[in-house]
Amino acid sequence: MTKPLDATSSWSQQTTPEMAARPSLGIWACSALVVGNIIGSGFYLSPAALAPYGAAALVGWVGMAVAAMCLGLVFARLAGVRPATGGPYAYSSLTADYRAGTTQVFGELGYGLQADSFSFEPFANIAYVNVHTDGFTEKGGAAALSVRGGSDDMTFTTFGLRLATEFDLGTAKATARGLIGWRHAYGDVTRAVVQAFFGSDAFSVIGAPIARHSALIEAGIDFAVTPTATLGISYQGQIASTAQDHGVRADLAVRF
């Protein structure tokens, strides 16, 4: 078992048989790793850049060697406290446990109209969405965050028109369909999360806002491949003054 370290205690450690059986890294091995990283970063690949400084360049090299030894000692002690693979990343592995939930309510009214082979459906719908996240504090390193919990409420209203028509495409039946509409968003359209590092002031992380006004466009076609199978492809778009969302979707529906 390893004793925890504090600001006033000296380095101490108890060795158990399990720890004695583990492979260990000493100060020289850790210093070699640090020096290897420095060489890999290109420090020793540009002596010409240091030549104009004369003897000061040699002092800089000696200083880097001392710094490498000190950093190697830091890694050696960290490896003793937390014998895990992954280098510096293993010494600051942050974890947190929290819960989040979403509540959605949706309702729609529509009225179908038929004119020859064309069908029309004016519609209006409303959707309510609530997203709640608990607050939490990360554990495992100096970069741990404390995140404030919160709740966001949004309501969407959409008014539009659906239309469709059927026609023959060779020996197969096909249905062309489309939608045009206007959507308005109310409530917390800009998501913000308040966070803070340990011992520092809180700050906010703000996500991309949801557009308050946007136009909806859909167009697609369905093919009756067999009496019980339908293949469809459609385009779906949402266009606002500050953002656009476009997508293509393919569906295969089989009825039993």
Side-chain angles (χ1 to χ4, degrees), residues 160-244:
L161 174 69
R162 296 188 183 95
L163 59 157
T165 183
E166 295 183 354
F167 59 94
D168 294 328
L169 189 62
T171 58
K173 290 285 186 180
T175 302
R177 50 189 171 82
L179 179 149
I180 54 174
W182 185 259
R183 175 171 293 167
H184 183 73
Y186 308 84
D188 303 322
V189 296
T190 302
R191 171 71 167 162
V193 178
V194 180
Q195 304 177 346
F197 291 104
F198 178 75
S200 66
D201 296 332
F203 59 93
S204 297
V205 178
I206 301 176
I210 298 173
R212 288 194 177 273
H213 304 277
S214 58
L216 304 181
I217 302 174
E218 293 184 14
I221 187 169
D222 298 326
F223 301 97
V225 181
T226 67
T228 59
T230 303
L231 176 64
I233 184 169
S234 62
Y235 158 80
Q236 299 174 341
Q238 185 171 341
I239 303 172
S241 59
T242 57
Q244 296 185 11

Side-chain angles (χ1 to χ4, degrees), residues 128-171:
Y128 167 77
V129 180
N130 171 270
V131 179
H132 175 77
T133 305
D134 292 341
F136 62 90
T137 299
E138 294 178 329
K139 300 177 181 179
L145 280 171
S146 292
V147 181
R148 186 182 301 172
S151 227
D152 293 284
D153 298 279
M154 292 167 286
T155 302
F156 301 91
T157 56
T158 306
F159 301 90
L161 174 69
R162 296 188 183 95
L163 59 157
T165 183
E166 295 183 354
F167 59 94
D168 294 328
L169 189 62
T171 58

